[in-house]
Amino acid sequence: MELLITTLVFTVILGSVLMLSNQSQGSKEYQEDLLTIQQSLREASDQMYRDMRMAGYPQARVYALSTGWTDSNSNRIAYGFRSINSTSLVFEGDIDNDGLVEVVEYNLGGNVLRRSEVKKNSDGSIPAADYQLLAENVNGLTFSYYTWSGGSWTTVGVNATNVKRIDVSLTLRTTVLDPYRKQYGDLNIQTSVIPRNLE
């Protein structure tokens, strides 16, 4: 009888130790996943901010009128925003400061945020997009567009030609469950961008 009681007590203690060990391991994996997500969020947000700040640069006024360059016949002039919606946008700008305009696109496909950056053709035409992965496990992406009117920011009447500010909200989800809450974790970052080259 004493042996049975001792075995039972030992089994309970061993089970508790194993459970705590599993929770500790799960917590470590979850924390590592959170750090990875935080880094991905920062990198994606920083990339979008840098790119969007250059939207619309350079404009035709930077060059002499005698060149005859426009955004539709040259790769030296940027058009600005080409298309906008809540989960994607396309714009032009010399984002790497090499004197030639790039066409940049961000869009959400499933739970993947993709980015394309292609050089505009010398005749002003736009080549096909070349998508690269920017962030995975996206649980939310929203682009909100504003224009300046009557002394304040407004979303009324905003279209691709009059965007003056973009607010970005990006949420990434962990791939590992929180061992205590038994849920995936969501991390969000929000940023506001005012392109410096759009009138």
Side-chain angles (χ1 to χ4, degrees):
M1 182 63 84
E2 289 178 2
L3 183 60
L4 285 172
I5 292 172
T6 302
T7 303
L8 179 61
V9 169
F10 179 74
T11 302
V12 169
I13 291 172
L14 183 61
S16 298
V17 168
L18 287 174
M19 186 179 75
L20 288 174
S21 175
N22 285 341
Q23 280 187 338
S24 177
Q25 179 64 28
S27 180
K28 180 180 178 218
E29 291 174 0
Y30 180 71
Q31 292 303 319
E32 288 172 353
D33 197 28
L34 277 176
L35 287 174
T36 300
I37 292 295
Q38 284 176 338
Q39 183 161 346
S40 293
L41 268 174
R42 278 195 305 271
E43 289 173 358
S45 177
D46 288 349
Q47 181 72 63
M48 288 190 283
Y49 182 86
R50 285 192 307 269
D51 288 350
M52 286 185 243
R53 284 280 289 164
M54 298 303 289
Y57 174 80
Q59 296 177 351
R61 66 177 183 229
V62 172
Y63 298 99
L65 287 175
S66 59
T67 63
W69 292 339
T70 68
D71 58 78
S72 59
N73 70 12
S74 169
N75 60 355
R76 300 280 181 166
I77 309 297
Y79 179 79
F81 287 91
R82 290 207 158 270
S83 69
I84 60 171
N85 68 48
S86 62
T87 58
S88 70
L89 60 89
V90 181
F91 59 91
E92 295 181 13
D94 182 9
I95 61 170
D96 58 7
N97 285 305
D98 66 352
L100 301 175
V101 171
E102 288 81 29
V103 180
V104 178
E105 180 175 351
Y106 286 98
N107 71 43
L108 185 63
N111 66 347
V112 174
L113 175 58
R114 304 183 307 167
R115 175 183 180 271
S116 170
E117 175 191 332
V118 292
K119 293 278 186 203
K120 200 171 171 184
N121 294 323
S122 59
D123 65 356
S125 61
I126 299 173
D130 179 23
Y131 296 110
Q132 306 294 321
L133 173 72
L134 185 61
E136 295 180 285
N137 304 314
V138 177
N139 194 39
L141 172 67
T142 305
F143 295 113
S144 301
Y145 306 95
Y146 297 83
T147 192
W148 185 257
S149 178
S152 63
W153 293 111
T154 180
T155 58
V156 177
V158 177
N159 57 53
T161 61
N162 66 5
V163 171
K164 298 293 184 273
R165 185 182 107 196
I166 308 99
D167 288 356
V168 183
S169 176
L170 176 63
T171 304
L172 301 187
R173 175 163 283 182
T174 62
T175 58
V176 177
L177 282 170
D178 181 332
Y180 300 104
R181 295 185 303 128
K182 305 298 183 194
Q183 297 176 352
Y184 293 103
D186 285 338
L187 293 178
N188 176 270
I189 194 165
Q190 298 184 11
T191 188
S192 186
V193 186
I194 299 175
R196 61 186 184 182
N197 305 289
L198 300 178
E199 294 180 346

